[in-house]
Amino acid sequence: MKGRISKIGSYAISSSIRDQHQQPCISCTTFNILAPIYKRLSPKDQSLRESDNRGYWLARNHRIIDWLLYERSSIICLQEFWVGNEELVNMYEKRLGDAGYLSYKLGRTNNRGDGLFTAVHKDYFRVVNSRDLLFNDCGDRVAQLLHVELVPPYSQYDAHQEVLIVNTHLLFPHDSTLSIVRLQQVYKILQYVESYQKEVNLSPMPIILCGDWNGSKRGHVYKFLRSQGFVSSYDTAHRYTDSDAHKWVSHRNHRGNICAVDFIWLLNPNRYRKLLKTSWSEAVFGMFRYLLRRASLTAEDAFAFLKTDNDGDHITFLGFCETLRQLNLTGHCNGLTTKEIKDLWIQADIDGNGIVDYKEFQQRIWNQTWSEQRDAADGEAKGNREQTVGFSVKNAVLFPPEVEKGVWPENYSLSDHARLTVVFSPIRMPCSQLVS
């Protein structure tokens, strides 16, 4: 294992300087480091946490920093960072600061104790701006946005090549009512990024989303991000498809289940981007459809279910709202908002006549062919468009190496998450356009 991690670290370091074609590269690491306030020390006593033993959490976090400094990624995004402990915060800021990193921390709302930590190396980036995003939801989750500019020689294609970096940790779905919350959190992130781009009048640029997404490749969050043109960097590097859901894992949760939840998402400026509200509606209707099909309803049965007590051959807004309530997507503090419900109805009512007939139901809710058609064309901009700079994925590695085969090693103790590192190379590409 030691030899394996040395190989990974050496690759990340060397690749961050030049690739085989002598092109400068950057690297990015995301890692949920398991806050000591959550790390259980004994299966027999769930109340005993690592935070109660300074020697334990201090030694483990020093080892984490050792590996981060060994790999020396250009970008480091950490989740479950113990912002509530001043000694630990100072340790990370001091050791990474001495190594040339600029760091930013953000605690979860309502003093939950943990949060996010993002660091970028001064050899690679100049920080233009940083913003904090507070979701103010039931999970007290947050996100960080860094607007950075590459410095020479990494900005060889463009003297002002810029990148947007997001670090986040989405809510764990403790019950079915929380699945919609994670979707809302991603929607808020993308809305915020979009509004920031408009606010400062940014040209098209790469967007990197890092973090613990608490959802797998089979989930609605994954499909939502894919519909917006984002690609999973690890899957891209290993040429895995969206259906390759069990090739790798990155987390063993408190229930003992292993799953792939840690991602570094890349959106290049050459990707066709669907209107965000359209993608959001698709994602919610996808969840809607999943719940109906899980109940073994046919299309006709589902349409009748949505009609509720309506005698006509159509769905009314009241019937639509009642169905959302019965599917547990509304009617509780974590459910869809009134505005979100109205936005969904507008998308479903294609001709705007105030009702949804069977054809509209088939097109917008039951079959929903929008995303699949776009993805089949690969969603890349073609033709004589304005040129810009994006990233190609050169390599991606997970540590410990066993997780790349879908196995969680029993002797791994750094965290309950694997560390993911991706190497990117700047390339020139055409700009995209929004498609409705």
Side-chain angles (χ1 to χ4, degrees), residues 259 370 379:
C259 43
W370 316 339

Side-chain angles (χ1 to χ4, degrees), residues 108-114:
R108 290 167 63 188
T109 49
N110 289 321
N111 297 314
R112 294 296 288 266
D114 69 306

Side-chain angles (χ1 to χ4, degrees), residues 73 98 115 180 190 227 248 289 320 335 402:
S73 285
D98 289 346
I180 192 67
L190 298 186
S227 76
W248 57 278
R289 185 172 64 253
F320 181 72
E402 290 89 344

Side-chain angles (χ1 to χ4, degrees), residues 228-277:
Q228 272 288 290
F230 285 89
V231 297
S232 162
S233 299
Y234 184 83
D235 291 292
T236 299
H238 294 268
R239 299 182 180 180
Y240 293 149
T241 65
D242 289 338
S243 60
D244 291 326
H246 301 292
K247 296 285 188 180
W248 57 278
V249 297
S250 66
H251 176 43
R252 181 166 67 179
N253 65 28
H254 59 283
R255 297 170 179 169
N257 302 321
I258 58 174
C259 43
V261 300
D262 300 275
F263 292 87
I264 296 177
W265 291 96
L266 171 66
L267 177 67
N268 267 322
N270 71 329
R271 300 288 293 185
Y272 274 119
R273 292 188 65 187
K274 188 179 302 179
L275 289 173
L276 182 55
K277 188 177 291 186

Side-chain angles (χ1 to χ4, degrees), residues 31-32 34 38 87 125 135 169 172 203 209 212 251 339 381:
F31 191 18
N32 181 323
L34 182 55
Y38 302 134
E87 183 180 5
F125 299 107
F135 296 143
H169 181 190
F172 183 85
S203 300
L209 307 181
D212 174 1
H251 176 43
K339 183 180 184 305

